[in-house]
Amino acid sequence: MSIEHRAWEVVLQSIELDLLSGRLRPGDHLPPERALAAELGVGRSSVREAIRVLEVLGLLRTSAGSGPTSGAIIVALPGGGMSALMRLQVAAQGFPVADVVKTRLVLEASVVTELAEASARAAATMDANAALHPDLSTPALLLGAMDSPALSEAEFLALDAEFHLALATASGNQVVTATMAGLRSAIEGYVRAGATGLASWPDTSTRLRAEHRAIIHAIEAGDPPAARRLVQSHIAGYYAETHLANHLPDNYADDHTDATGHPVGR
Amino acid sequence: MSIEHRAWEVVLQSIELDLLSGRLRPGDHLPPERALAAELGVGRSSVREAIRVLEVLGLLRTSAGSGPTSGAIIVALPGGGMSALMRLQVAAQGFPVADVVKTRLVLEASVVTELAEASARAAATMDANAALHPDLSTPALLLGAMDSPALSEAEFLALDAEFHLALATASGNQVVTATMAGLRSAIEGYVRAGATGLASWPDTSTRLRAEHRAIIHAIEAGDPPAARRLVQSHIAGYYAETHLANHLPDNYADDHTDATGHPVGR
DNA sequence: CTGTAGCATGTGGTCAGACCACACCATCGT
DNA sequence: ACGATGGTGTGGTCTGACCACATGCTACAG
């Protein structure tokens, strides 16, 4: 029946079917490797290869020892897998850096637009219930943390990454959040390398902080076009300044993603 | 030095560094597993686990036997890895189907907008050189193939997937193309299941074909807003019809960017 | 000299078995 | 009652062996 001929693919398919059928759910333990090998009629090494793949893809976590926290446990943390995939694809030249930056621009514009629209909607219904407002507490916290003058470039950029990721998280879209995390980590090396070549890091970091605040403000004000425009110039501006995106088209930072539109509202 | 303690992570990191430094490039052969194991001072099984991960992520292809086509060869085909990751994340409930659909909507809207803008730009410069126009020959071919009345539902949907993927390919963004491929394959099962519950498949497929042609027409006409609107209603409409996105918001396909009054497009 | 059959070689794919490190847990001794 | 200690089961790793397969060389027949 199976198209799969390699033993480890049989194991992978078996686990995927168990996930789809609900026999395995997040939090569950996989059977011990030896038991799984015996059950499927393959060697333990084949089981291990399949488990290794699932671990890298962020589907499970393994730990040795005994007790309830040991063994292979189903988790669904796509961020790590997405990061590994995109980082390696960039390293192997399958993903041009320019495409990574462009995609990030599209997704982040969509994120802040959605957040601003949610804000506007919450305000329009004169809702006293804070639950309808997007939760911007984490981004706000990071905003404050980035104001510390003692931060090194690397520390600031780490907080910056967290800030943008927190926005994606606030939008509530898991796929977008994981993808953004992957995109960011894929070009992390380039971002950091670019920062060292800046004319004045204090000037740049000051500008970045101001832009962050402006983006948050536009979201809270319920102004989607402004939020979108600000986030686009924020990202494109940094990459332009660091010469990261040298061969990007001239109209790269134009506000044509206005036109990308996206599924909004709920 | 290495933070990595597991042997297979050492191997993975070593290969990643070779990629980043340019010692390994697409098309190159990895050393034989046994040689790599000896070189890195680990067991062959650890090397194999790392290679397995890279294979699933789409970074290399392995084949047994002898000769120049055998062994592990660096390729950078992100589609497969992205598909595996997203398919499994959906299976493990890390990616809600609704988020997958939303993300697809965002990306595909961006793709057709970009294509339409490129068309408009090419036309505006009265350029006789066809190179500046986006290459829509593949989507056009698929459009014709989908007209065949003998197609089964599954065959039609396969061509439909190819059509949307061809649009992404035409946009030239590798990251978006790979991501769209992954998103599509993640919900392929749901799409096919939904099709069987339709009131009238002939009616639906006729409508889908017409919508495809309208999208292509809007792109060729250089009308980004129209292309965006059409692709959004196309995708959202199908999911709504198949009850795939039951808990998506009612105004899911609304185009709020127009409602803001902000001038869109260029 | 030519062509072909067949063997040598090197590759990934798989398995079995062994050992280690580790974390829990039951038992035992105080 | 409590703490030390060894048992037990887990993943992590290595070794060595064998298989299947594709290539390419070699020896033999024509």
Side-chain angles (χ1 to χ4, degrees):
Chain A
M1 289 309 300
S2 245
I3 316 167
E4 322 295 350
H5 56 296
R6 281 123 107 202
W8 63 270
E9 288 180 312
V10 175
V11 179
L12 204 54
Q13 191 180 18
S14 160
I15 295 176
E16 180 174 359
L17 287 176
D18 283 350
L19 285 170
L20 284 172
S21 73
R23 280 189 293 272
L24 281 179
R25 305 173 57 79
D28 288 354
H29 281 67
L30 228 57
E33 294 175 354
R34 293 159 175 89
L36 207 46
E39 182 184 333
L40 297 175
V42 300
R44 192 186 159 203
S45 52
S46 298
V47 171
R48 297 200 93 251
E49 291 182 16
I51 287 182
R52 194 64 56 236
V53 167
L54 293 173
E55 180 178 349
V56 171
L57 292 185
L59 267 96
L60 50 84
R61 160 183 94 68
T62 64
S63 60
S66 172
T69 72
S70 76
I73 303 181
I74 306 284
V75 297
L77 305 172
M82 203 62 106
S83 296
L85 191 153
M86 293 192 172
R87 194 162 33 81
L88 286 163
Q89 284 293 344
V90 168
Q93 307 171 28
F95 280 169
V97 174
D99 286 1
V100 173
V101 175
K102 277 197 228 174
T103 308
R104 193 191 155 195
L105 209 41
V106 170
L107 289 180
E108 185 129 4
S110 155
V111 162
V112 296
T113 304
E114 205 168 314
L115 286 173
E117 282 165 350
S119 264
R121 212 160 31 244
T125 59
M126 297 195 216
D127 172 35
N129 183 356
L132 288 191
H133 289 78
D135 178 14
L136 297 179
S137 57
T138 305
L141 266 174
L142 292 164
L143 225 46
M146 275 186 277
D147 283 337
S148 165
L151 291 175
S152 69
E153 292 182 12
E155 290 167 335
F156 182 91
L157 289 175
L159 288 172
D160 179 89
E162 272 189 70
F163 171 78
H164 287 278
L165 200 57
L167 287 181
T169 305
S171 84
N173 188 319
Q174 310 252 335
V175 177
V176 170
T177 301
T179 306
M180 296 257 308
L183 294 172
R184 173 77 187 211
S185 94
I187 54 176
E188 187 185 3
Y190 296 87
V191 171
R192 294 185 48 163
T196 69
L198 288 173
S200 162
W201 170 250
D203 288 356
T204 297
S205 73
T206 301
R207 179 173 59 74
L208 293 179
R209 284 200 302 271
E211 290 174 355
H212 288 163
R213 291 209 144 77
I215 291 167
I216 292 288
H217 183 264
I219 291 174
E220 286 174 338
D223 187 347
R228 186 174 56 252
R229 191 173 355 98
L230 289 168
V231 83
Q232 285 179 156
S233 66
H234 172 64
I235 298 178
Y238 181 78
Y239 288 117
E241 189 176 17
T242 56
H243 312 293
L244 215 182
N246 272 337
H247 31 1
L248 291 181
D250 294 339
N251 58 345
Y252 182 60
D254 288 3
D255 195 356
H256 69 282
T257 27
D258 255 348
T260 52
H262 63 109
V264 290
R266 49 173 51 90
Chain B
M1 301 311 103
S2 239
I3 314 167
E4 321 296 350
H5 55 295
R6 281 125 106 199
W8 64 270
E9 288 180 313
V10 175
V11 180
L12 204 54
Q13 191 180 12
S14 160
I15 295 176
E16 181 173 359
L17 288 177
D18 283 350
L19 286 170
L20 284 172
S21 73
R23 279 189 294 275
L24 281 178
R25 305 172 57 78
D28 288 352
H29 280 69
L30 229 57
E33 293 175 356
R34 292 161 176 89
L36 207 47
E39 183 184 332
L40 297 175
V42 300
R44 191 184 159 204
S45 51
S46 299
V47 172
R48 298 201 93 252
E49 290 182 15
I51 287 182
R52 193 64 56 234
V53 167
L54 292 173
E55 181 178 348
V56 170
L57 292 185
L59 268 98
L60 52 82
R61 163 185 90 69
T62 63
S63 59
S66 172
T69 71
S70 76
I73 303 180
I74 307 283
V75 297
L77 304 172
M82 203 62 108
S83 296
L85 191 156
M86 294 192 170
R87 193 161 34 83
L88 286 163
Q89 285 293 346
V90 168
Q93 308 171 29
F95 280 169
V97 174
D99 285 1
V100 173
V101 174
K102 278 198 227 173
T103 308
R104 191 188 157 197
L105 211 39
V106 171
L107 290 179
E108 185 129 4
S110 157
V111 162
V112 297
T113 303
E114 208 168 310
L115 287 173
E117 282 167 351
S119 263
R121 221 164 21 246
T125 60
M126 298 197 216
D127 173 36
N129 184 357
L132 288 192
H133 288 78
D135 178 14
L136 297 179
S137 57
T138 305
L141 265 174
L142 292 164
L143 225 47
M146 274 186 278
D147 283 338
S148 165
L151 293 175
S152 69
E153 292 183 12
E155 290 166 334
F156 182 92
L157 289 175
L159 288 172
D160 180 89
E162 273 190 70
F163 171 78
H164 288 278
L165 199 57
L167 286 182
T169 305
S171 84
N173 190 317
Q174 310 252 335
V175 177
V176 170
T177 302
T179 306
M180 295 259 307
L183 293 172
R184 173 76 188 212
S185 93
I187 54 176
E188 187 185 2
Y190 297 86
V191 171
R192 294 184 48 164
T196 67
L198 289 173
S200 163
W201 171 250
D203 289 357
T204 297
S205 73
T206 300
R207 179 173 59 74
L208 293 179
R209 285 201 302 271
E211 289 174 354
H212 287 162
R213 291 210 143 78
I215 291 167
I216 292 287
H217 183 264
I219 291 174
E220 287 174 338
D223 187 347
R228 178 179 70 254
R229 193 172 352 99
L230 288 169
V231 84
Q232 285 180 158
S233 66
H234 172 65
I235 298 178
Y238 180 78
Y239 289 118
E241 189 177 17
T242 56
H243 312 292
L244 215 184
N246 271 339
H247 26 11
L248 290 181
D250 293 339
N251 60 343
Y252 186 58
D254 288 3
D255 191 345
H256 276 56
T257 20
D258 281 341
T260 61
H262 188 272
V264 294
R266 56 183 67 241

